Amino acid sequence: MSGEANKSDDDNMSGKIHVEEITTSNGGRGGVHALNIEMAGAGEGNGEQERKIDVAEGEEGAIYPDKDGKTLFDRHYLGTGKPVPPYVGLQNRVSAVTWVELFAMQQLPAWRPVITPAQVVLTLVGMGVAMLAIGIGCTVSTMGVVQVSENYSQLSPPQSQTVFTNDQKSRYLRENGGYNVTVDLRIEKDMEPPIYAYYELTNFFQNNRRYVRSVSPQQLAGLPTSLDNLKLLCEPMLYVGGALNDSYPEDGQISPCGLQAWSYFNDTFSFTRLEGAAAAGPEEGAATAINVDDSQISWPTDKSFLYGNVTAENFNVYPEYRGGGTVAKPLNQEQHFMVWMRLSAKPNFWKLWGVIDQKLFAGDVVRVSVLNQFNTYDFNGKKSIVLSTNSWLGNKNYFLGALYLAVGGLFIIVGLLFQIAYWFKPRGFADEMHLSWNRNSGVTSTS
């Protein structure tokens, strides 16, 4: 043997286990192992005070776990009632450890399944089939969503003799406050209620860092907050005109302050339904107003926890300083304002305007009268009105279904390739031919 392991300094040990390696004649390692079980009081004539078990490499009972996960320690101690000494380890290589440390290092007996090629193939193919089924379900569900939209920001003011450019539209909004336009949404398929009405903005970066920080949550909730804190968060949209001015109420201080509230979307929409033949040439009385419910479009948690009974002050009421719309009710009752303040992560987004609780039939036309006030022309943004039904996955979006189909198909292809490779180059169970030390020494397969 190469030597004995160092004895533990702990006088309370009832015994210890040494595992030693015997160097083979050719200088290799691991030819024979010895398990030295030394009990307390060794050398004092107490009977079975020391046992040594020499185990040759590959013999039944090797110190390494067998294919059932059992080690030599298990066979000598489990179910025998013998006291288990602490494990010392290989001589001069592993310090003394406890069974807790063995558990932490995953060296205790455990279930160690041997994965066979058939199990790999079945797992891959099974997961692939499951993903294909989910992908088909997602795709079919999305295909059932009916969606129509129309861009209205491209329309020029009524009675205009030419098509306005974005600069001309922006100037018109600043000088006149807004203008009315009408867009028609043609229903191609029946739309079952509830039907959701959205407005869509593009190229509007609500995720901009300065924009995200420019709000006072305490002010929105009606909680007291210091002026220094408001200055830190809300400037330059803290005072009308950017500075304190006693010619305005409350010295011109704005509530709610900040860029988020200042840019509040203020276009308005009204919806009319033209049925079937009336859509081609509406007769008097053929148009029917559509009721759009906007009483519960915000998150209930926003109304309950984020917004208080706060009345707006100096908020977008002066045309020369306004950035968007104003509010007339307390903030926790302004549904459209709370929807706007729920920021979008992307520059192109929809926000809910209301819910339609009546069925729309194929061939109908929904005429939308829009008061165009919100200025997106300075940054080349577009505005659209959208009507959409929903599925259990939400709006029309093929990404999730396509992702499941692609990954499921990939799993099935890889599983089949594994099976074909196994057919052409089979490998027996527990074949040692491919181990590095056997491959280098030219050992042939034992299967």
Side-chain angles (χ1 to χ4, degrees):
M1 290 187 186
S2 60
E4 294 182 358
N6 295 330
K7 293 184 178 180
S8 172
D9 294 333
D10 188 354
D11 295 334
N12 296 324
M13 274 190 175
S14 60
K16 54 189 176 183
I17 297 175
H18 303 272
V19 177
E20 306 177 49
E21 288 186 358
I22 298 177
T23 305
T24 58
S25 59
N26 60 3
R29 288 184 52 215
V32 177
H33 293 84
L35 175 66
N36 183 347
I37 305 174
E38 180 182 332
M39 302 305 295
E44 298 176 1
N46 291 339
E48 250 189 18
Q49 294 155 346
E50 184 173 350
R51 297 173 58 197
K52 292 185 179 179
I53 305 170
D54 292 341
V55 183
E57 184 74 19
E59 289 183 359
E60 180 66 27
I63 65 170
Y64 301 113
D66 58 20
K67 63 181 181 181
D68 295 325
K70 292 185 177 180
T71 66
L72 184 59
F73 309 133
D74 303 327
R75 288 184 286 276
H76 279 277
Y77 285 103
L78 291 184
T80 64
K82 299 178 182 178
V84 180
Y87 175 57
V88 175
L90 291 175
Q91 176 185 356
N92 300 325
R93 295 184 188 154
V94 182
S95 60
V97 293
T98 66
W99 289 106
V100 174
E101 290 171 310
L102 286 174
F103 172 78
M105 293 186 290
Q106 300 183 21
Q107 294 182 5
L108 288 178
W111 180 59
R112 299 178 177 90
V114 179
I115 306 300
T116 64
Q119 290 173 336
V120 173
V121 172
L122 288 176
T123 300
L124 288 171
V125 173
M127 292 179 64
V129 170
M131 289 185 181
L132 287 179
I134 296 174
I136 292 172
C138 293
T139 303
V140 171
S141 175
T142 297
M143 291 174 64
V145 174
V146 182
Q147 178 181 309
V148 291
S149 63
E150 189 69 35
N151 179 1
Y152 67 86
S153 59
Q154 62 185 348
L155 301 176
S156 301
Q159 311 302 324
S160 60
Q161 301 299 316
T162 60
V163 176
F164 277 31
T165 64
N166 281 350
D167 289 339
Q168 290 173 320
K169 293 174 186 175
S170 177
R171 185 169 60 252
Y172 189 96
L173 291 181
R174 288 195 299 269
E175 294 174 354
N176 300 279
Y179 58 89
N180 291 294
V181 295
T182 301
V183 293
D184 288 343
L185 302 174
R186 300 190 176 276
I187 310 302
E188 303 294 338
K189 297 181 180 179
D190 291 354
M191 301 182 72
E192 299 288 343
I195 303 169
Y196 298 91
Y198 302 89
Y199 58 89
E200 179 184 12
L201 297 182
T202 66
N203 208 31
F204 193 106
F205 289 82
Q206 281 195 315
N207 59 354
N208 180 275
R209 180 180 179 184
R210 185 180 182 188
Y211 187 90
V212 170
R213 294 183 61 183
S214 187
V215 65
S216 173
Q218 292 85 357
Q219 188 188 55
L220 295 177
L223 302 175
T225 182
S226 66
L227 183 59
D228 290 338
N229 188 48
L230 291 177
K231 288 181 178 180
L232 178 65
L233 296 173
C234 292
E235 285 187 340
M237 297 307 168
L238 178 58
Y239 293 101
V240 176
L244 187 145
N245 190 334
D246 58 9
S247 63
Y248 297 106
E250 302 295 332
D251 294 330
Q253 183 174 330
I254 301 173
S255 175
C257 65
L259 290 171
Q260 293 183 31
W262 175 77
S263 60
Y264 170 42
F265 183 82
N266 61 333
D267 285 1
T268 60
F269 310 96
S270 60
F271 297 80
T272 305
R273 176 188 175 196
L274 308 178
E275 301 180 13
E283 302 174 358
E284 185 176 354
T288 305
I290 298 177
N291 180 50
V292 180
D293 181 17
D294 60 2
S295 61
Q296 296 181 4
I297 59 175
S298 67
W299 290 17
T301 52
D302 287 0
K303 180 178 180 180
S304 301
F305 301 107
L306 299 186
Y307 297 89
N309 189 26
V310 179
T311 303
E313 293 284 349
N314 299 314
F315 178 58
N316 281 338
V317 293
Y318 305 103
E320 63 272 25
Y321 299 117
R322 75 175 179 88
T326 187
V327 294
K329 303 176 184 177
L331 297 185
N332 59 1
Q333 299 180 29
E334 285 285 354
Q335 295 285 325
H336 292 293
F337 180 79
M338 289 186 281
V339 168
W340 174 259
M341 297 293 284
R342 176 63 63 176
L343 301 185
S344 172
K346 296 182 179 181
N348 303 336
F349 55 85
W350 295 3
K351 288 191 180 289
L352 185 60
W353 177 262
V355 182
I356 298 173
D357 287 323
Q358 68 181 75
K359 183 176 180 178
L360 299 177
F361 296 90
D364 290 350
V365 171
V366 176
R367 180 158 294 169
V368 186
S369 298
V370 184
L371 177 55
N372 186 0
Q373 302 178 95
F374 192 73
N375 192 346
T376 59
Y377 304 108
D378 287 337
F379 52 87
N380 294 320
K382 296 179 181 179
K383 301 184 290 186
S384 302
I385 187 71
V386 182
L387 295 182
S388 177
T389 58
N390 261 6
S391 70
W392 61 277
L393 282 175
N395 300 120
K396 183 181 289 293
N397 190 334
Y398 288 100
F399 174 77
L400 187 61
L403 180 64
Y404 270 107
L405 291 174
V407 176
L410 179 63
F411 272 45
I412 291 178
I413 292 173
V414 172
L416 294 178
L417 289 178
F418 276 12
Q419 184 61 51
I420 293 172
Y422 185 68
W423 283 337
F424 280 94
K425 297 185 67 176
R427 177 179 174 181
F429 181 75
D431 189 353
E432 299 177 355
M433 180 182 63
H434 297 283
L435 298 176
S436 60
W437 51 87
N438 289 336
R439 187 168 60 247
N440 295 336
S441 59
V443 176
T444 58
S445 175
T446 60
S447 61

